[in-house]
Amino acid sequence: MANFAIDAVKATTYDAIVIGSGISGGWAAKELTEKGLRTLVLERGRDVKHVVDYPTTMLNSWEMEHRGQLPLSVRQENPIVGKCYAFNEGSAHFFVKDAEHPYVQEKPFDWIRGYQVGGKSLLWARQTQRWSQFDFEGPARDGFAVEWPISYSDIAPWYSHVEKFAGITGNKDGLDTLPDGEFLPPHEWNCVEKYFSQQVASKYKDRHVIMGRAAHITKPQPIHLQQGRAQCQHRTICERGCPFGGYFSSNASTIPWAAKTGKLTLRPQSVVHSIIYDEKKGKATGVRVIDATTKQMIEFYARIIFVNAAALNTNLVLLNSTSNRFPNGLGNDSGVLGKYVAFHNYRAGISAEYDGFLDSTTEGRRPNGPYIPRFRNVYKQETDFLRGYAAGFSAYRMSHTNQDGFGADLKANLANPTLGGWGVGSHMMGETIPKETNYVALDKDLKDPFGIPQLKISIDYDENDDKMVKDYQEQMTEMFTAAGFTNIRLRDDHRNPGLDIHEMGGVRMGKDPKTSMLNKWNQLHHCKNVFVTDGASMTSTSTQNPSLTYMAFTARAVDYAVKEMKKTNL
Ligand SMILES: Cc1cc2nc3c(=O)[nH]c(=O)nc-3n(C[C@H](O)[C@H](O)[C@H](O)COP(=O)(O)OP(=O)(O)OC[C@H]3O[C@@H](n4cnc5c(N)ncnc54)[C@H](O)[C@@H]3O)c2cc1C
Ligand code: SF4
């Protein structure tokens, strides 16, 4: 007679489990399946298939009920996600609405999430700079947080590995502060951007204005065509999902690639509740999942587990994975789980005008823009705050459209805007210092709709951030003035942490198990078959956008994990 219990366990047992199908989970799935592992990807949200599940991608704004805008009622119902610049009628279906998944704001925190296959990879702005030696050496040199257990040279080959597959546009600028990568041709400058870049280069030895590096295919290579992806068409409505696969998303790239191996099982509507720890075996054996449709709890088993639920949800899953051995969360002997969370300081901006180049304008759109890599406190400490900031920059020709008249007159007016002068603008992207007091924890009383404790978030700016805002404004004012820009206007919008959407830490890497959660392979010090390779694992935040670094860490950790499995160490 068949042994149904054994058969049932077999049917739910895989070589590897990946929690989350966003940017980092998609990479884990690709790498694990390519290496031959039967891999189960558990995703709490619905399935989103490339192209067919992008309902607004081919619509013109006048074909949408509200012309691409969101009605006031939706904005009022969503005071948190409504602040995100990419939340609009064409993309709202990919964002978590405020009421759907509550959390506790011990301090104001705008938590922007995308719960679906692909996660936030459908929504991101695709900026992809490598982190440099100055970022990985930062905490040790400047004496904050803990030392990174790796250096730039450890991760450099893995950056190359992921860049080639994802498709990154950029220029080889030869800067220490922003290592070059495997680039597709760069996007074009406009004349005022080029002028500002030249002005800055002529006046400062250590400051540079370069073309941004972004996950767009400007010239498809065979590896992109094999993925079914094509050249970016510069429509700049990427957050609706791109039918060309012109930008990198899990949906267009890693998930279908993993599926082609025949080794992938993708299970949407699967909310991971916790990781199962087997006290006798001294390792994790699987995960508990709540099926979002039936609300039933199911278990799945595997030899290794990758946690890629996005930084704060990864903290939540580990905090909720308690056992006799780990009463305070999986692998949390050090007590640092949930602590030392950091983010990017995007509070400040500057805008101005330029009177030159009135005989030139721009034509068309560009899904990217110039970038100013960090220049403060790089080679030595120069200011009374720690670390530094990068900045975005762009220039655009201002115009005025006369909306008077009716019929043919109105059409003619709309079709012939009057050109004004040039506008220029920049926003800061500052590193924040990870601190014990910036933490997340499980709320003792409140539960989410699945009976899982809600996440309590307690994260704030500090004096270092205020000083950095002031310095950014002073330095940019100096650079703008030197370039002849006028009517300079400064902004500090005091936005809440979270709106940068670069939250990191809580499960940090480090050399010492007493002060960190993960070793240099993103492996829990105290539960070796569990790997965390999303933003939760970051020891410090750098000033660069983080997702390319999550991709590289994920590919590196999978390579290590599979080698360890082969040696039967896991
Ligand atoms: C508008 C916007 C612009 C951005 N711009 C940039 C940029 O220019 N450059 C950059 O580097 N980054 C950018 N980001 C951030 C970037 O999107 C994230 O860093 C990246 O997506 C993180 O990858 P991830 O795999 O950790 O998480 P996600 O991509 O968020 O994926 C996590 C997945 O895990 C799932 N999940 C969560 N909890 C569970 C659970 N309990 N069980 C099962 N599944 C679960 C989620 O549903 C989700 O699908 C931007 C984000 C947004 C929204
Ligand atoms: S700009 Fe490029 S990547 Fe974005 S939607 Fe258009 S084609 Fe796709």
Side-chain angles (χ1 to χ4, degrees):
M1 200 174 99
N3 187 329
F4 292 115
I6 290 176
D7 287 350
V9 170
K10 238 184 176 172
T12 49
T13 300
Y14 296 81
D15 298 325
I17 288 175
V18 179
I19 304 173
S21 64
I23 289 189
S24 63
W27 267 97
K30 169 190 173 289
E31 299 289 306
L32 287 162
T33 53
E34 271 186 328
K35 290 178 193 297
L37 270 65
R38 287 178 57 248
T39 302
L40 173 66
V41 174
L42 295 165
E43 167 53 54
R44 67 177 301 150
R46 66 189 169 96
D47 196 6
V48 173
K49 289 215 168 25
H50 184 46
V51 187
V52 293
D53 288 325
Y54 305 155
T56 55
T57 192
M58 298 310 280
L59 297 183
N60 290 302
S61 50
W62 60 86
E63 294 171 304
M64 286 187 252
E65 195 182 345
H66 303 100
R67 309 292 182 262
Q69 305 294 316
L70 282 167
L72 191 59
S73 59
V74 176
R75 298 223 161 257
Q76 283 168 341
E77 283 157 20
N78 292 283
I80 298 171
V81 65
K83 289 182 204 162
C84 178
Y85 71 91
F87 183 68
N88 58 46
E89 194 177 17
S91 63
H93 46 282
F94 291 145
F95 283 92
V96 168
K97 311 302 172 303
D98 293 4
E100 288 170 357
H101 296 285
Y103 61 99
V104 180
Q105 298 182 61
E106 201 164 71
K107 293 179 180 165
F109 186 90
D110 295 333
W111 193 11
I112 310 297
R113 292 158 291 169
Y115 288 173
Q116 62 254 324
V117 167
K120 298 193 292 286
S121 76
L122 287 163
L123 296 168
W124 68 319
R126 311 156 310 275
Q127 293 296 302
T128 36
Q129 313 90 8
R130 289 186 180 201
W131 294 16
S132 75
Q133 53 170 324
F134 303 104
D135 300 308
F136 293 108
E137 289 165 5
R141 191 196 76 171
D142 296 346
F144 68 94
V146 291
E147 268 184 58
W148 277 90
I150 66 150
S151 63
Y152 174 70
S153 58
D154 293 312
I155 196 73
W158 295 100
Y159 275 130
S160 294
H161 178 77
V162 298
E163 283 163 346
K164 283 185 216 155
F165 188 83
I168 308 293
T169 160
N171 186 49
K172 286 197 189 281
D173 299 292
L175 305 176
D176 288 355
T177 45
L178 205 72
D180 290 331
E182 312 287 337
F183 294 143
L184 303 171
H187 282 118
E188 280 180 37
W189 303 86
N190 66 40
C191 54
V192 175
E193 291 165 351
K194 188 83 205 153
Y195 163 77
F196 184 55
S197 170
Q198 286 161 348
Q199 288 289 308
V200 170
S202 69
K203 294 189 168 83
Y204 301 90
K205 270 202 232 93
D206 60 344
R207 302 187 188 187
H208 309 274
V209 183
I210 63 168
M211 183 41 69
R213 297 158 183 192
H216 284 264
I217 298 182
T218 48
K219 187 173 179 201
Q221 302 300 303
I223 188 67
H224 306 125
L225 299 174
Q226 284 162 31
Q227 294 171 48
R229 297 173 58 200
Q231 184 157 345
C232 170
Q233 305 293 307
H234 288 207
R235 305 185 320 152
T236 60
I237 45 174
C238 314
E239 68 275 9
R240 300 185 194 174
C242 178
F244 308 99
Y247 73 96
F248 172 86
S249 67
S250 304
N251 312 63
S253 179
T254 45
I255 297 279
W257 191 266
K260 268 201 277 188
T261 64
K263 299 282 182 186
L264 175 74
T265 303
L266 174 63
R267 193 176 199 281
Q269 308 285 12
S270 304
V271 183
V272 171
H273 171 281
S274 52
I275 296 171
I276 305 163
Y277 183 76
D278 187 315
E279 316 252 337
K280 286 199 199 103
K281 291 182 180 156
K283 60 180 182 178
T285 49
V287 298
R288 298 179 194 94
V289 166
I290 299 172
D291 185 297
T293 323
T294 63
K295 301 271 165 79
Q296 296 293 308
M297 191 177 272
I298 322 162
E299 294 186 353
F300 293 97
Y301 309 99
R303 278 175 67 191
I304 55 169
I305 297 167
F306 270 70
V307 196
N308 296 94
L312 298 191
N313 271 317
T314 285
N315 275 275
L316 196 162
V317 168
L318 293 186
L319 284 163
N320 203 35
S321 302
T322 53
S323 56
N324 287 334
R325 167 69 184 84
F326 294 113
N328 301 315
L330 188 67
N332 190 18
D333 287 358
S334 61
V336 299
L337 177 59
K339 297 175 186 165
Y340 300 96
V341 176
F343 57 100
H344 280 158
N345 175 358
Y346 272 42
R347 269 168 40 186
I350 178 169
S351 54
E353 287 162 26
Y354 187 56
D355 273 344
F357 296 103
L358 293 178
D359 56 350
S360 305
T361 187
T362 55
E363 190 75 44
R365 290 166 289 221
R366 182 188 59 193
N368 188 12
Y371 181 85
I372 306 173
R374 174 178 159 208
F375 53 84
R376 270 309 208 200
N377 302 325
V378 175
Y379 300 99
K380 60 179 191 323
Q381 186 63 35
E382 313 164 299
T383 68
D384 64 347
F385 60 85
L386 285 177
R387 312 302 293 159
Y389 46 83
F393 174 77
S394 64
Y396 47 90
R397 190 82 196 259
M398 297 183 290
S399 66
H400 171 72
T401 308
N402 179 0
Q403 296 177 8
D404 292 342
F406 291 98
D409 285 350
L410 176 61
K411 277 189 194 164
N413 284 343
L414 295 179
N416 295 294
T418 317
L419 283 179
W422 285 86
V424 292
S426 164
H427 66 278
M428 83 177 280
M429 299 177 267
E431 178 164 355
T432 69
I433 305 299
K435 297 181 297 266
E436 193 172 6
T437 47
N438 275 348
Y439 70 92
V440 296
L442 300 184
D443 191 89
K444 289 197 173 57
D445 306 312
L446 295 171
K447 301 264 195 295
D448 74 4
F450 301 98
I452 296 172
Q454 286 187 24
L455 196 66
K456 184 169 66 182
I457 304 180
S458 189
I459 294 171
D460 211 346
Y461 295 101
D462 65 12
E463 207 191 336
N464 202 66
D465 304 314
D466 295 336
K467 287 179 178 169
M468 204 183 275
V469 165
K470 189 165 169 281
D471 190 71
Y472 162 84
Q473 293 184 332
E474 286 169 2
Q475 298 309 313
M476 290 304 297
T477 300
E478 185 187 296
M479 288 154 73
F480 272 26
T481 307
F485 297 163
T486 55
N487 192 17
I488 293 175
R489 299 170 301 272
L490 300 175
R491 164 173 63 79
D492 175 0
D493 62 14
H494 294 277
R495 63 181 56 194
N496 295 333
L499 202 51
D500 48 293
I501 325 179
H502 291 170
E503 57 275 10
M504 290 176 242
V507 194
R508 70 183 179 188
M509 296 170 80
K511 290 181 174 166
D512 184 352
K514 290 201 190 72
T515 56
S516 62
M517 292 289 296
L518 304 167
N519 67 13
K520 65 176 176 179
W521 301 109
N522 296 72
Q523 184 179 30
L524 279 178
H525 288 299
H526 300 295
C527 186
K528 295 280 192 228
N529 63 336
V530 175
F531 293 79
V532 175
T533 63
D534 60 17
S537 64
M538 297 291 121
T539 309
S540 62
T541 69
S542 154
T543 57
Q544 285 88 296
N545 295 63
S547 307
L548 183 74
T549 300
Y550 308 161
M551 299 186 208
F553 271 108
T554 303
R556 179 174 175 271
V558 168
D559 187 64
Y560 172 78
V562 174
K563 282 181 183 146
E564 285 295 284
M565 279 174 91
K566 286 192 181 139
K567 291 185 208 155
T568 64
N569 289 341
L570 292 177

